Amino acid sequence: TRTHEAGFGYEVVERPVEGLTPENAKKPTPKVLAALEKAIASLESAGAKGIAGESHLMWPLQEHAASEAKVPVYMSAMLQIALLVPAHHTDQKFVIVTKDVEALEKSLKAVLEKHGIVFSPGRFIVTGLLDGEAESPQKLADRLKAMESQNGRIAGAIFDTGDLIEHADKVRAVTKYPIFDQVTLLDYFVSACSDNPFFGTSYRSGDSPDALYTKAMRRLLSPSEAYLRDMKSKIDRHIKIGVLRLDYSYPPIPGDVACEASYGYQ
């Protein structure tokens, strides 16, 4: 779920924002903004390295929260658009699934441009949830696939609602589209703050010789094939990343972009 540790794989600290409701999130009162600032300070004091919002309704609070926080703020899965737009050709489109289609369509251009993202008309297809889709991801997946024949090349979907996070894996499996939600956003941030699990030396335990030795031993003494087999997820073995290389040859080693041992996939 959106605020449960089991939904991520790392520690989650929660703080309620006193007085914040779905109704006033779009236009919060000074009292609510003060409560937001208090909650942010409390999370930072608790050691949070980044701050997220539990609901897509908190997206309008992104700018104010980011201005008050000392750590990064990720209020909405929509922030991933900043990475997706430059990575795809202009004829590729993204489906945004949200609960409030009208509000998002009205605000999307202004919000994206405020955050430095050039808005391209027709690049984003905003759609709501039809009856039964929140409970049946198969119905949503089938509709997303049908959209491609009507709208052109679909590059992926962004789930701008926490209700669909638990169904993202099902939709990915059926559509073969990359699905972006609040969890993929936070995983991206956490991976940049975490020890690489696949190669190198572990510094998680400070200068502990035992911690440093354990990872080095796995890297140096494991047979190559077993090493790769142990690191790759059995679930995601079908995922492959292509790497363009310069026109010269060298044997890739862990840590190189062209080496499988640098990742957990092919």
Side-chain angles (χ1 to χ4, degrees):
T1 61
R2 287 157 284 177
T3 58
H4 195 283
E5 290 183 12
F8 299 98
Y10 35 86
E11 186 177 357
V12 174
V13 184
E14 303 176 34
R15 292 293 185 274
V17 179
E18 187 176 354
L20 180 63
T21 67
E23 291 73 29
N24 65 25
K26 294 179 183 177
K27 293 184 178 181
T29 64
K31 184 177 180 180
V32 169
L33 290 179
L36 174 65
E37 295 164 12
K38 182 179 179 181
I40 288 173
S42 179
L43 288 171
E44 291 176 336
S45 296
K49 300 299 184 184
I51 294 175
E54 77 163 336
S55 169
H56 71 288
L57 296 172
M58 293 183 177
W59 174 232
L61 301 173
Q62 172 68 34
E63 187 173 12
H64 185 83
S67 70
E68 293 296 326
K70 299 181 180 67
V71 298
V73 175
Y74 303 96
M75 284 296 199
S76 168
M78 297 286 286
L79 288 172
Q80 291 165 104
I81 291 177
L83 294 173
L84 300 178
V85 168
H88 294 80
H89 191 273
T90 54
D91 67 353
Q92 293 177 291
K93 301 177 181 180
F94 299 93
V95 179
I96 301 175
V97 185
T98 183
K99 278 189 169 182
D100 196 342
V101 175
E102 183 178 358
L104 185 57
E105 286 181 331
K106 288 181 178 178
S107 65
L108 185 59
K109 182 177 185 295
V111 169
L112 292 183
E113 291 181 348
K114 180 183 290 187
H115 295 289
I117 304 167
V118 177
F119 178 79
S120 301
R123 192 82 187 271
F124 302 99
I125 304 165
V126 181
T127 184
L129 283 171
L130 301 184
D131 288 344
E133 288 183 340
E135 295 76 29
S136 174
Q138 181 68 51
K139 291 182 179 179
L140 176 59
D142 290 341
R143 185 160 67 93
L144 290 177
K145 289 197 297 182
M147 282 184 180
E148 188 151 29
S149 61
Q150 302 166 6
N151 297 281
R153 191 176 176 188
I154 302 295
I158 301 167
F159 286 172
D160 182 42
T161 168
D163 293 347
L164 291 177
I165 290 176
E166 62 182 305
H167 300 312
D169 283 341
K170 173 70 172 181
V171 179
R172 287 186 188 102
V174 174
T175 64
K176 308 305 179 186
Y177 295 151
I179 304 297
F180 303 90
D181 55 26
Q182 188 75 338
V183 172
T184 62
L185 173 63
L186 297 177
D187 280 348
Y188 169 76
F189 168 72
V190 169
S191 68
C193 301
S194 304
D195 183 81
N196 187 309
F198 303 114
F199 75 93
T201 302
S202 174
Y203 295 95
R204 282 179 294 189
S205 300
D207 296 325
S208 165
D210 292 337
L212 299 179
Y213 178 70
T214 299
K215 197 168 181 184
M217 189 171 133
R218 182 185 68 188
R219 179 186 60 179
L220 297 174
L221 304 182
S222 297
S224 177
E225 289 304 313
Y227 177 63
L228 292 174
R229 183 178 64 250
D230 290 343
M231 290 191 308
K232 290 178 186 174
S233 162
K234 291 182 173 60
I235 297 174
D236 295 327
R237 281 185 179 276
H238 66 286
I239 296 177
K240 295 181 181 180
I241 295 295
V243 177
L244 297 172
R245 298 185 62 182
L246 297 172
D247 190 16
Y248 68 96
S249 179
Y250 66 91
I253 62 173
D256 291 339
V257 174
C259 182
E260 286 189 346
S262 298
Y263 310 97
Y265 37 84
Q266 298 185 59

